[in-house]
Amino acid sequence: MKLAVPKETAPGERRVALDPSVVTKLTKLGLEVLVQKDAGGSAHFPDDAYGDVRMVDDAGALIGEADIVVRVAPPGVEDVERMKDGATLVGFFHAHKSTDVVKAMQAKKITSFAMELIPRISRAQSMDALSSQAAIGGYKAAIMGADLSCRFFPMLTTAAGTIRPSKVIVIGAGVAGLQAIATARRLGAMVEAYDVRSATKEQVESLGAKFLDLGVKAEGEGGYARELTDEEKQQQQEALAGFISKADVLITTAAIPGRPSPKLIPESMVEGMKPGAVIVDLAAEGGGNCELTKPGETIEHKGVIIHGPLNIPSQVALHASEMYAKNLLNFLSPHIAEGEFKPDWEDEIIAKSCLTHDGEIKHEATRSLVE
Ligand code: NAD
């Protein structure tokens, strides 16, 4: 079977779906891997690093020849229409935002697997691209906070006096938040963190940070948070305001599956922050946790800098691609035998991550949006 790695076409996307080491592993499993020329260039994998694989110049020719296409960013309708009928496509889709792509896949009987639908179960941890890419976001958020801040993170004792360490507050202690905590701690900051899930208290403390108990708990299904009621939101904001006013850097990562980012930081809370304080709003992709965040922009509001970065993993393109490629390898390889990819439909990871197959929309929430 032929597996193709096209160059990503989404604006600003620097990652590539497979790095050279994973291409070698898939070749050893008997797949013929075709790579588009310069596919890995923006992630600093030059064409010659891919060794003996066939490099193809034209994206249309490459995609049209492949039995399996692997991508990072969601495809466009045109990318799907270039594929062979009945071929397989694996990558991120965010299908609720692109029902036209889902319809195009249905029409061409594409078997599609969405990396964001892989269940968060222990056996699937090594395939979990949401986690691998969120960890990069968390790491980079702490670095961005340090960069935008007018203060040092660590305590410094110098001949010119002693500098107190910065106080960093992280809201949302999921995968990204925990990595932000760990990175801010390594940079020497004093870190406090808050989440509505009680299980996070121990995780936050194990990283040497202080857990802020605001008395609002909102455990949802499957280890996720649920949306807060209006009363809980108010209670949370009142309790949070006092802590936030003392923060030098605030990193927000709060998310609820399938919902816009919860608005946790109103304008009044921003105005109560220290001059020169920084907010890094990792939830910008879903609209932001701060009311004033402008996704993709850095603004200043009454002396507070508010940064709303988008697609952070693309900024760490080499390692993000390596991690994503490992996730793809771990997802595909159990189902490759004698150079053929034959998914085991009894496997819950395959069944739950499948978006479309043989003209049908397999993912229920997407089906109800499209039909
Ligand atoms: P996420 O990106 O959905 O959300 C980020 C964090 O925001 C979560 O910790 C959530 O509790 C928090 N949050 C939501 N609303 C909030 C509010 N109003 N105030 C404060 N915090 C709020 O989370 P994620 O990083 O994708 O992790 C979600 C869950 O999945 C966790 O339980 C995590 O342990 C679990 N997980 C499991 C696996 C696995 O077993 N394979 C892998 C990764 C994550």
Side-chain angles (χ1 to χ4, degrees), residues 92 114-133 175 224 323-335 347-353:
F92 280 112
M115 294 302 277
E116 71 270 24
L117 295 180
I118 290 181
R120 308 300 274 287
I121 55 172
S122 305
R123 187 166 62 87
Q125 270 180 6
S126 65
M127 314 167 196
D128 187 347
L130 279 181
S131 288
S132 69
Q133 307 301 296
V175 179
Y224 289 97
M323 292 165 90
Y324 183 76
K326 282 268 165 54
N327 295 144
L328 275 178
L329 174 71
N330 293 327
F331 174 72
L332 294 171
S333 58
H335 306 278
D347 179 349
E348 74 161 312
I349 298 172
I350 288 289
K352 289 195 171 150
S353 60

Side-chain angles (χ1 to χ4, degrees), residues 36-99:
Q36 189 180 345
K37 279 197 181 140
D38 196 37
S42 307
H44 303 287
F45 300 114
D47 287 349
D48 56 13
Y50 283 93
D52 291 339
V53 300
R54 182 145 64 89
M55 305 300 291
V56 180
D57 214 349
D58 179 61
L62 171 98
I63 293 170
E65 197 181 332
D67 303 297
I68 309 170
V69 178
V70 288
R71 316 189 71 101
V72 185
V77 171
E78 193 190 50
D79 299 314
V80 173
E81 283 172 348
R82 285 164 152 177
M83 292 179 68
K84 274 202 305 212
D85 285 359
T88 296
L89 180 56
V90 190
F92 280 112
F93 285 91
H94 304 304
H96 60 287
K97 292 188 197 156
S98 50
T99 47

Side-chain angles (χ1 to χ4, degrees), residues 186-232:
R186 283 186 205 119
L187 289 173
M190 288 189 306
V191 185
E192 296 178 350
Y194 164 66
D195 197 294
V196 285
R197 291 183 296 114
S198 355
T200 57
K201 180 175 189 291
E202 202 184 313
Q203 294 161 355
V204 164
E205 288 173 349
S206 74
L207 292 171
K210 181 177 162 197
F211 186 77
L212 301 175
D213 194 347
L214 308 186
V216 180
K217 307 254 181 295
E219 327 277 343
E221 279 173 26
Y224 289 97
R226 64 161 170 80
E227 202 163 11
L228 301 184
T229 62
D230 286 347
E231 201 179 314
E232 286 170 331

Side-chain angles (χ1 to χ4, degrees), residues 280-318:
V280 179
D281 194 344
L282 272 197
E285 210 94 41
N289 289 145
C290 173
E291 213 171 76
L292 301 176
T293 295
K294 291 209 163 59
E297 291 182 34
T298 309
I299 59 159
E300 192 167 333
H301 180 81
K302 301 197 175 162
V304 176
I305 296 160
I306 306 170
H307 184 46
L310 298 175
N311 195 6
I312 301 180
S314 176
Q315 295 180 28
V316 191
L318 187 142

